[in-house]
Amino acid sequence: MKSFRLFLVPLLAAALGVSLPAQPQKPTVVKTVEPARIAYLNSNAFLDARTGLKQLVRVTQALELEFGGTQSELSLLGEKLRTIGGELNKLNADPVGNAKAMAEKQAEGQRLQQELQAKQQAAQEAYNKRAQETQAPVAAEIGLAVRAFAKERDISLFLDLAKLGDALLDAKPELDLTAEFIGYYNAKHP
């Protein structure tokens, strides 16, 4: 039995050492890729009143002006609500003697808070709808202009730093074409 093991070990070693017949390998296809030109811009700069995209700034300012009255009304309601909160704190000093007045102020505060929330929600919905109506056509134009700008400069990959956020760790400042794009767009859309 021991001799059988001694015989088996060299046999296994020989079997493992023998090369297996070579299987036909598919030829490796190497695809060549042209070098890509990469650049980026920061679309947050588009809304800068002094140096941004004039068309977008005008539309945004008009929208803010349109909803300025609504914003003032909401601020006034918020201030009234804070005033009621201050009055409730004063009445809290003597809760027994001012129980009825406190209950009235709390009811008034709750009513005002509900009114404020309803008006805020309605204002937000109206603002979003109007923003979509006014800014969507400009955003579409900007998108087309970005593509044309990139094509004219033979840029293969054009990134928006505002959307990448912290994903972009480092980049050469020379790759930032924000100011150049803003000049390009403003020249075509005064």
Side-chain angles (χ1 to χ4, degrees):
M1 179 97 141
K2 215 175 195 188
S3 63
F4 180 71
R5 279 191 217 163
L6 292 174
F7 178 73
L8 187 60
V9 171
L11 184 63
L12 283 173
L16 292 175
V18 174
S19 64
L20 297 173
Q23 294 183 3
Q25 293 184 355
K26 295 180 183 176
T28 306
V29 177
V30 178
K31 184 177 179 181
T32 58
V33 179
E34 293 182 33
R37 293 191 50 171
I38 299 173
Y40 67 92
L41 56 80
N42 186 345
S43 62
N44 285 339
F46 294 175
L47 286 170
D48 186 284
R50 289 184 309 106
T51 62
L53 299 176
K54 293 178 184 351
Q55 185 181 28
L56 184 61
V57 169
R58 278 193 306 270
V59 168
T60 303
Q61 288 174 341
L63 191 62
E64 290 173 4
L65 185 62
E66 183 178 335
F67 283 89
T70 304
Q71 184 62 37
S72 296
E73 180 185 357
L74 292 174
S75 294
L76 185 61
L77 284 174
E79 189 57 41
K80 284 181 182 179
L81 192 58
R82 282 188 287 283
T83 302
I84 289 173
E87 290 172 0
L88 276 171
N89 286 338
K90 288 178 186 175
L91 291 173
N92 235 359
D94 183 18
V96 176
N98 298 324
K100 183 178 177 187
M102 281 182 60
E104 288 173 358
K105 283 291 178 189
Q106 284 177 335
E108 182 183 355
Q110 287 176 343
R111 180 196 56 77
L112 192 59
Q113 185 172 10
Q114 289 172 345
E115 179 184 351
L116 178 62
Q117 287 173 342
K119 285 187 176 189
Q120 281 176 330
Q121 184 176 358
Q124 187 64 49
E125 289 171 3
Y127 181 87
N128 289 344
K129 181 181 177 193
R130 188 71 178 122
Q132 180 64 27
E133 291 170 357
T134 59
Q135 292 177 337
V138 176
E141 280 184 40
I142 293 169
L144 292 173
V146 165
R147 285 183 198 87
F149 180 80
K151 187 175 182 178
E152 285 178 17
R153 284 152 183 79
D154 195 28
I155 298 171
S156 307
L157 183 61
F158 207 23
L159 304 169
D160 184 358
L161 188 63
K163 292 182 178 62
L164 289 175
D166 293 337
L168 185 65
L169 300 176
D170 190 31
K172 291 182 178 180
E174 302 86 47
L175 297 176
D176 184 359
L177 299 181
T178 305
E180 191 176 331
F181 173 73
I182 289 173
Y184 169 89
Y185 187 86
N186 285 338
K188 293 187 180 220
H189 301 88

